[in-house]
Amino acid sequence: GSKSTQSIAAIENMSRVLKQMIKSPYVAQQYVKDYYNNYTAVSSWLYDMKNMPLALDEIQIVPYGKEIDNKNCAAAIKNGFALLTEERRATGIFSGLDITFNSTIANLKKYASFGVLSGRKMNSDTDWVIDKIRVKTPSKKTFIRTLSGGNQQKVLLGRWLLTTPEILLLDEPTRGIDVGAKFEIYQLIIDLAASGKGIIVVSSEMSELLGICDKILIMSGGRVAAIEETKNLTQEKIMEYAAKYI
């Protein structure tokens, strides 16, 4: 469907995490912390959803009963949030660098001691990503741009799993990847949800939403048209809701 009628699905605590997606404007930025306590933006996305008719004061982020406020992306990561961007090649991967770099870039603090990175720890975590998420690659030193789209996406998921997130925002997680890789990504999402992680999936593929989600929030013309249990929905019903405010 069009961007204005894009369906947003949540497996857990969906409405509670929308606050960070509907601020006007809200710039979500991934930051890499360097060793001088500064932050360098490595990728960003602008969400300008100022016309969405939701009362911000009525929406809270309350994981595990404790309200938090993600004032910026550094705070969001610290609070256990992770974002898998829609545009994998443009704002996700570092195409000219290897899998080790792409796997560990969001977690550099873990590997640093007195300003020096531990290659042993970085290689160990990269091996975990490759083995755990079944990344098909000749070596962890392989440039990520040479991998298939599905394997690039797996590396990005692994990157964020290394930060031990509690809530993952997955924006079009299977766009541009083959059917086999899609199935593997779906299984990863289901396993993460089963382990207690909160997952929000943004997708324009109705079959994807119906297959992996417990609840679906449907947008129409920039407005919330419905929030329904997946078991109560069909593709026809989703289309009906998606056209509600057009």
Side-chain angles (χ1 to χ4, degrees):
S2 67
K3 203 69 175 178
S4 63
T5 60
Q6 200 173 58
S7 298
I8 300 178
I11 290 177
E12 180 179 325
N13 290 330
M14 175 176 51
S15 61
R16 297 185 184 277
V17 297
L18 282 174
K19 183 177 181 181
Q20 288 304 314
M21 301 176 69
I22 59 177
K23 285 185 177 178
S24 172
Y26 170 61
V27 180
Q29 294 179 309
Q30 297 181 70
Y31 285 98
V32 178
K33 188 173 184 180
D34 67 19
Y35 305 114
Y36 301 97
N37 294 318
N38 294 317
Y39 290 90
T40 303
V42 297
S43 54
S44 63
W45 304 266
L46 175 63
Y47 294 87
D48 187 0
M49 303 174 74
K50 58 189 174 185
N51 295 319
M52 183 176 288
L54 291 176
L56 295 181
D57 292 340
E58 296 177 3
I59 299 175
Q60 297 174 308
I61 304 173
V62 191
Y64 308 110
K66 181 181 179 182
E67 184 176 357
I68 60 174
D69 183 12
N70 291 338
K71 296 179 180 179
N72 53 50
C73 235
I77 294 172
K78 184 178 179 180
N79 288 329
F81 284 73
L83 171 65
L84 193 68
T85 174
E86 175 184 2
E87 297 295 336
R88 178 177 62 251
R89 292 184 179 86
T91 56
I93 66 170
F94 294 83
S95 60
L97 295 167
D98 62 20
I99 293 172
T100 298
F101 182 92
N102 276 277
S103 296
T104 58
I105 186 62
N107 209 23
L108 290 182
K109 185 177 180 180
K110 174 182 176 182
Y111 313 117
S113 178
F114 301 104
V116 178
L117 292 173
S118 170
R120 180 182 61 81
K121 292 180 180 178
M122 294 173 72
N123 286 329
S124 176
D125 276 359
T126 304
D127 287 338
W128 179 88
V129 169
I130 292 171
D131 294 339
K132 179 71 174 179
I133 309 183
R134 298 184 292 278
V135 178
K136 296 179 178 65
T137 176
S139 162
K140 55 178 169 281
K141 296 301 181 184
T142 300
F143 285 164
I144 195 170
R145 67 168 177 259
T146 67
L147 302 184
S148 67
N151 283 295
Q152 290 176 3
Q153 196 76 318
K154 290 179 185 178
V155 172
L156 294 180
L157 270 172
R159 172 196 296 175
W160 289 112
L161 291 181
L162 289 175
T163 68
T164 60
E166 293 300 328
I167 297 176
L168 292 95
L169 314 177
L170 309 180
D171 193 351
E172 300 285 358
T174 64
R175 174 174 290 177
I177 64 179
D178 62 60
V179 174
K182 280 187 176 184
F183 176 80
E184 292 183 306
I185 297 293
Y186 293 153
Q187 192 58 55
L188 280 169
I189 293 171
I190 291 168
D191 290 346
L192 287 168
S195 72
K197 304 295 184 184
I199 314 288
I200 297 178
V201 177
V202 179
S203 179
S204 52
E205 295 188 28
M206 286 184 287
S207 58
E208 181 169 276
L209 299 176
L210 291 168
I212 64 173
C213 297
D214 293 329
K215 287 184 179 180
I216 299 179
L217 184 154
I218 304 160
M219 304 290 294
S220 176
R223 301 173 63 183
V224 176
I227 302 175
E228 291 280 357
E229 297 281 344
T230 305
K231 63 184 180 182
N232 299 326
L233 289 170
T234 61
Q235 291 196 26
E236 291 75 17
K237 193 66 176 177
I238 290 175
M239 289 298 296
E240 180 181 331
Y241 282 127
K244 185 174 182 179
Y245 297 118
I246 295 176

